[in-house]
Amino acid sequence: MDNEKKIAVLIDADNVSHKYIKFILDEIATHGVPTYKRIYGDWTSPQHAAWKEVLLDNSITPIQQYSYTTGKNATDSALIIDAMDILYSHNVDGFCIVSSDSDFTRLAARLREEGMLVIGMGEKKTPKAFISACERFKYLEALSGQPIEEEETPETPEPKRSAKSKEKELKNLTRAIRKIITEVSDEDGWAYLGDVGNMLAKRFPDFDTRNYGYSKLTPFLSSLKGVELDSRKTSNPNISHKYVKMK
């Protein structure tokens, strides 16, 4: 079971704010047990001062990495070396890499080649390459309940660009959902909701209903036009199976 998996949580302090740590660990608890909790950065730097209390409260081990050369990210190298050491110790079933940096793209791909579950976490600005390299990816803004907005550009006002971008994204996702339902449905067009959710997660590593303001898949699908849901009772009165099809 996923919640029994042993997971190494490796955090890039240079690219993550301390305000997200509780949400990160809460999310990891739904996927497994964090057997390693390490965070990398130059702890002599004043910019990391806010992490001190957070690390103590959550039993996270800080790994000191001095910035030897300007323009070179030594923190990334330290995290990657540790990840490979942990991989070859054969003590974990998966990794959670917390960063908004594309430098960990190859690491994520390499860990997956070894059969590891790889969960990525980062802000909306995270490059697509790193997101795609992970089996699952969670936006920190969504985990913390903050609205996910597109970055503002000088040429386009943020509110207009954000609304247009979200609308396009939702249309593409709805199209993908329609295709998935067609692929896994029975002769009557009904698809088991669990199968649809699994296929979505495989094809879109960063898919999370919280990105759209919904806590679960059922209410999210109910909000889409042309989607019909059905709840079917089982022999256990406390359990029902949900199915979905396109109208």
Side-chain angles (χ1 to χ4, degrees):
M1 294 177 64
D2 262 13
N3 59 7
E4 295 175 346
K5 288 183 179 293
K6 294 181 289 185
I7 298 177
V9 183
L10 309 178
I11 305 170
D12 176 10
D14 293 339
N15 283 286
V16 175
S17 169
H18 70 283
K19 67 182 180 181
Y20 291 123
I21 195 62
K22 179 183 183 301
F23 306 106
I24 292 169
L25 295 179
D26 285 350
E27 181 66 19
I28 286 299
T30 67
H31 296 280
V33 180
T35 52
Y36 291 84
K37 291 187 289 184
R38 297 180 181 177
I39 185 166
Y40 302 78
D42 183 355
W43 302 106
T44 64
S45 172
Q47 74 181 56
H48 293 328
W51 277 102
K52 182 177 180 180
E53 186 173 347
V54 173
L55 300 185
L56 291 172
D57 290 344
N58 294 280
S59 187
I60 301 173
T61 304
I63 305 298
Q64 172 62 33
Q65 187 60 51
Y66 293 103
S67 299
Y68 297 110
T69 307
T70 302
K72 301 292 184 180
N73 198 335
T75 297
D76 291 2
S77 299
L79 191 155
I80 291 169
I81 291 170
D82 265 12
M84 298 309 294
D85 285 344
I86 293 170
L87 171 67
Y88 291 123
S89 73
H90 304 292
N91 290 328
V92 299
D93 304 299
F95 289 79
C96 177
I97 303 171
V98 186
S99 178
S100 302
D101 193 337
S102 63
D103 288 350
F104 299 110
T105 300
R106 180 60 189 137
L107 172 63
R110 181 69 182 86
L111 294 174
R112 291 189 67 184
E113 288 173 357
E114 292 293 329
M116 292 284 108
L117 166 67
V118 179
I119 302 170
M121 294 188 188
E123 295 180 330
K124 185 64 178 178
K125 63 184 180 182
T126 304
K128 193 66 177 179
F130 177 45
I131 294 173
S132 300
C134 299
E135 184 171 341
R136 302 173 192 171
F137 191 88
K138 307 293 180 180
Y139 290 116
L140 295 174
E141 295 94 335
L143 296 184
S144 64
Q146 298 178 19
I148 297 180
E149 303 291 350
E150 298 292 334
E151 291 185 13
E152 183 176 355
T153 61
E155 297 81 6
T156 308
E158 190 276 332
K160 182 182 292 186
R161 184 173 186 271
S162 176
K164 186 176 180 181
S165 176
K166 285 183 177 180
E167 183 180 355
K168 181 179 179 181
E169 182 181 344
L170 194 57
K171 281 184 178 179
N172 291 337
L173 184 61
T174 302
R175 192 178 299 115
I177 291 172
R178 183 186 294 275
K179 183 178 179 182
I180 289 171
I181 291 175
T182 301
E183 291 173 354
V184 302
S185 63
D186 58 22
E187 293 181 354
D188 296 322
W190 288 101
Y192 179 54
L193 189 64
D195 292 339
V196 174
N198 288 336
M199 290 295 288
L200 272 170
K202 288 178 181 178
R203 296 185 185 182
F204 301 92
D206 60 342
F207 174 73
D208 190 323
T209 57
R210 289 170 292 191
N211 297 343
Y212 305 92
Y214 296 91
S215 60
K216 300 289 183 182
L217 184 60
T218 299
F220 169 69
L221 291 179
S222 297
S223 72
L224 301 179
K225 292 181 180 179
V227 174
E228 182 179 350
L229 285 112
D230 183 36
S231 183
R232 303 177 186 178
K233 294 181 180 180
T234 65
S235 56
N236 186 332
N238 298 317
I239 299 176
S240 63
H241 290 164
K242 290 183 170 59
Y243 291 80
V244 60
K245 78 172 184 177
M246 303 305 299
K247 295 179 181 178

